[in-house]
Amino acid sequence: MQSLQLNNIYFKYPASADYIFEDLNLELYPGWSALVGANGAGKSTLLKLITKELSPESGSVINNLVTAYCPQSTENLPENAEEFFSSYEGNTFRLKELLEIQEDWLYRWDTLSHGERKRIQIAAALFLEPDVLIVDEPTNHLDMQTKEKLFRALESYDGIGILVSHDRELLDLLCTKTFVIKNGSLTKIKSNFSTAIKELDTIKNFQRQQKSQHSKELKKVDKQIQSAKESVSSSKSRLSLKNVDNKDSDAKAKVYLAKITSKNKYEGQAVKTATSKKEHLLKEDISIDKEYEKGIMFEQSIDNRAFPFVIEKTTETINGFTFNIPRLVIEKGDKVWIQGDNGSGKSTFINYVLSTLKTSDYLYIPQEISEEDSQKLFKEIKELSDDKQGEIFTTITRLSSDPKALLQSKTPSPGEIRKLLIAKDLSNNPPLIILDEPTNHMDIDSIMSIEKALTEFQGAVIFISHDMTFCKSLANKTWRVEKDKKLVHIVEK
């Protein structure tokens, strides 16, 4: 059976003093494996080691197999796209039909949606019939129908598959093994993601119990050492001739006799024994990763007078489309999911909703953040007071990132930029939060933290998302956007 192996890998980047991986071992066989971990944990570095784009400082990568890599970005047309589209092999027709790929897509790449581009990217990779297929965040921007097509295509692959994704539903449906990467170490659990997380919690609880027992043993030995030392000190004082009169021969004789029969030497041995036991315990010290509390804290109360927010019934023509909008009411505590297929007009509808509100009433976090806005965000945070920066850093930590490393990074990931924006703006505790695809680019720990925070948030939330687990956990109200040619209907469910 074919396998992919990484043996005793040590790796660090030239400019860094710290290793990303030390003595890392990994072995993969056919079937889908999930690779999960926080932003910056080393997932991308590990993938580059597997594909041999990077070389380890020591250790070996045994991968003499045909490897295809589907990156998160859909900016560039796959290198073998023309070969795929011009092929008349049976597998080509199967992939085109499975993913509903149209023949003219090759010539209008720039006008295709992210979902259409992703389908071409996956098809071109599967067309190669690789031994190893690596797929990085394939469901960003995808609606439920496109996700279903993507799942069917990936499910048909029978080689060694590695899936990096924040989409918990896809991870559970596709993967039978989960690798959790944290602080340079890899934990393998033979189950889907949801089960693996529960098992990981069990492992962590067991480790914490072991750590607690180990600490108790150390304290017990310390007391034994202290007690033995005090006994030795007391014996030395009792057997000393310092306070005995030189002329008192009887007293001297008693001291000499006591020395001969004394337990002092045994007490000294007790010190040595206890000290040796402590040294042994210290060598067996149990290392546990420091855990930070998850979630975002909203300490200020929401003013009831801000509610309800009302969007009046209207018909609006926007960008050539006619939107039929019923009267919509947002009450305090509402968590409204704006649902719809790709291209149905969800973001356009969100922009209309924003135009009906006063800017002081809401916080809006867009789907994508430009490089210019990212640099502006960095500058704003650095100019804030120490107290305000401290609040932001606390939130960043609760979102599973190192805030100082993030601010020092020259090329932070889209997920890290989103964390900074969320940390900066949510601390203002607005009555209404509007989020366009909040889980895109985010690691799973962060998504779960945001999900928890928004569930507990006292105000109202409107959000667009295709993350089904996130939506089902959060939403108590749904507005569906349905497009029929040039007509767009908003339907309240």
Side-chain angles (χ1 to χ4, degrees), residues 14-73:
S16 174
D18 299 323
Y19 281 93
I20 294 177
F21 298 118
E22 295 183 73
D23 198 24
L24 177 74
N25 292 277
L26 171 66
E27 189 167 10
L28 293 171
Y29 293 94
W32 280 100
S33 297
L35 177 62
V36 298
N39 295 129
K43 298 189 298 295
S44 296
T45 300
L46 179 58
L47 297 181
K48 289 177 181 178
L49 287 166
I50 289 172
T51 59
K52 297 187 176 181
E53 183 179 337
L54 292 174
S55 299
E57 186 174 294
S58 64
S60 60
V61 179
I62 302 174
N63 180 14
N64 300 317
L65 308 171
V66 177
T67 301
Y69 174 58
C70 293
Q72 183 176 160
S73 171

Side-chain angles (χ1 to χ4, degrees), residues 214-229:
H214 187 267
S215 298
K216 289 178 182 178
E217 287 290 327
L218 275 174
K219 290 179 181 179
K220 183 179 177 181
V221 170
D222 281 336
K223 287 182 180 179
Q224 290 174 350
I225 292 172
Q226 182 63 29
S227 178
K229 285 182 176 180

